[in-house]
Amino acid sequence: MNSYGVVGNPIQHSLSPLIHHLFAEQTNQTLRYQRILAPRDRLEYVLNQFQAQGGKGLNITLPFKQQAFQLVDRLSERACFTASINTIQFNEDGSRFGDNTDGVGLIRDLALHHHFSLLGKRILLLGAGGAVRGVLHAILQEQPEEVVIVNRTESKAIELVKTINVCSRVRVCALHALKELLFDVVINGTSASLMGDMIRLPKTCLQNAFCYEMVYGKGMTPFLRAAVDAGAAYCTDGLGMLIEQAAESFYIWHGIRLDTMPVYTKIIPSYFNMLRIT
Ligand SMILES: NC(=O)c1ccc[n+]([C@@H]2O[C@H](COP(=O)([O-])OP(=O)(O)OC[C@H]3O[C@@H](n4cnc5c(N)ncnc54)[C@H](OP(=O)(O)O)[C@@H]3O)[C@@H](O)[C@H]2O)c1
């Protein structure tokens, strides 16, 4: 039986095994998909072991996406842009192909499950870690009017914009300078919600905005609560993104494009996922 998995640290919370087994069931595949906990300094060893045992593909999650980028032979164009990967395909000839499906996952979730387009929108993107790195390229391809990035550590946002050489429609902003600004979309790409925390935004940033929390399965996070309190137009968490990025990995490994709706509707009731406000 072909073997797949997701490598991270921590990893026990991951829904990827459930999602990939549901995809496999839907397409009559038999496969094994397991969670793999890698010590923070042993990613290369874990990849080598998995490949030596005949493993076919891996998803890579926090905190290894940038490190894994260095450990493959060939990369997709979008992975080159993001300098981080979340998917590895192990080929028959022993080579490794790396891709990043987070960006396409976000855009498909917005389009398919929320019927929302970023075209011409003013976007506030919170964070400057792997998640924001992974989605920025895909967001820009949707031709928003502007993307403003705010991060707790501003220097990291400046460095991110510099290293991935994005266009003039992206700029970094200090938190205190947000008071004057209004947005159509606010995307929380920080991990602050995992600690019950958030970047404290002026209410005006969230008011009437489409608010997207990349963290999933945490119910009403501080970010979503602030969005509701400020009068956001629409709020959702990132479960749909998780499913869509997984579907793109599934396509890379199996060459099968899935209808994700059956999996989405199966998983979604167990989460306080969507909260339509208006
Ligand atoms: N739904 C999905 O499919 C999906 C996909 C990818 C990621 N995610 C989620 O996105 C989140 C971020 O992942 P990542 O890979 O970018 O993590 P990361 O590389 O570790 O980056 C973490 C980011 O969060 C910020 N942050 C952490 N704690 C904070 C706090 N208390 N207050 C304000 N900012 C804080 C960090 O700011 P500093 O730079 O100042 O440290 C940094 O910008 C994770 O929770 C992950 O679960 C979801």
Side-chain angles (χ1 to χ4, degrees):
M1 192 187 300
N2 286 339
S3 183
Y4 300 85
V6 56
V7 180
N9 187 341
I11 199 61
Q12 61 285 9
H13 66 286
S14 175
L15 286 178
S16 293
L18 171 64
I19 293 170
H20 279 272
H21 284 125
L22 287 171
F23 286 163
E25 199 179 289
Q26 189 183 323
T27 54
N28 297 317
Q29 314 268 316
T30 35
L31 57 82
R32 199 164 88 100
Y33 188 109
Q34 58 185 314
R35 292 183 188 89
I36 302 169
L37 177 69
R40 284 177 183 254
D41 57 350
R42 307 285 315 265
L43 178 65
E44 187 167 7
Y45 173 80
V46 168
L47 297 191
N48 291 344
Q49 285 289 104
F50 185 81
Q51 188 170 21
Q53 287 161 9
K56 298 289 180 195
L58 283 176
N59 284 128
I60 307 292
T61 189
L62 212 131
F64 297 121
K65 289 180 185 178
Q66 279 167 262
Q67 206 181 322
F69 177 80
Q70 311 290 342
L71 300 173
V72 296
D73 306 294
R74 211 161 51 79
L75 290 157
S76 68
E77 196 188 320
R78 58 195 177 197
C80 289
F81 188 91
T82 60
S84 68
I85 60 171
N86 73 342
T87 306
I88 300 178
Q89 174 166 259
F90 297 97
N91 299 311
E92 294 296 329
D93 63 3
S95 66
R96 297 173 181 175
F97 169 71
D99 200 350
N100 193 320
T101 66
D102 279 341
V104 76
L106 171 67
I107 301 302
R108 287 207 189 123
D109 180 37
L110 291 174
L112 294 175
H113 306 302
H114 306 290
H115 313 290
F116 191 79
S117 158
L118 298 179
L119 178 70
K121 301 290 194 307
R122 303 200 67 243
I123 300 172
L124 173 60
L125 190 50
L126 304 174
V132 165
R133 187 177 278 274
V135 299
L136 192 52
H137 185 219
I139 288 175
L140 288 170
Q141 285 189 322
E142 298 301 296
Q143 302 188 356
E145 185 182 316
E146 186 180 36
V147 179
V148 173
I149 302 180
V150 169
N151 191 42
R152 177 178 62 180
T153 313
E154 194 183 337
S155 57
K156 283 196 201 162
I158 293 169
E159 191 54 33
L160 169 75
V161 170
K162 232 191 253 166
T163 52
I164 61 178
N165 194 22
V166 285
C167 64
S168 57
R169 276 176 294 143
V170 183
R171 71 186 165 101
V172 174
C173 185
L175 188 55
H176 65 80
L178 281 178
K179 269 192 225 112
E180 319 294 324
L181 305 179
L182 299 175
F183 297 95
D184 304 305
V185 182
V186 183
I187 300 173
N188 186 16
T190 73
S191 53
S193 298
L194 299 179
M195 283 83 76
D197 201 358
M198 69 171 285
I199 293 181
R200 311 232 158 250
L201 300 171
K203 274 193 174 182
T204 44
C205 292
L206 298 162
Q207 202 172 16
N208 299 322
F210 181 107
C211 293
Y212 194 101
E213 167 74 275
M214 271 199 215
V215 166
Y216 55 87
K218 292 284 173 193
M220 206 53 156
T221 63
F223 171 76
L224 290 174
R225 169 52 59 204
V228 171
D229 290 347
Y234 192 95
C235 296
T236 181
D237 78 2
L239 182 63
M241 173 177 167
L242 181 78
I243 294 170
E244 294 302 329
Q245 63 78 30
E248 187 70 10
S249 297
F250 195 88
Y251 174 69
I252 291 164
W253 295 330
H254 307 283
I256 301 170
R257 278 252 172 257
L258 285 150
D259 172 9
T260 51
M261 207 46 107
V263 169
Y264 191 74
T265 47
K266 220 174 235 175
I267 293 181
I268 219 109
S270 52
Y271 285 93
F272 183 48
N273 175 260
M274 270 181 292
L275 179 65
R276 202 183 280 275
I277 296 163
T278 57

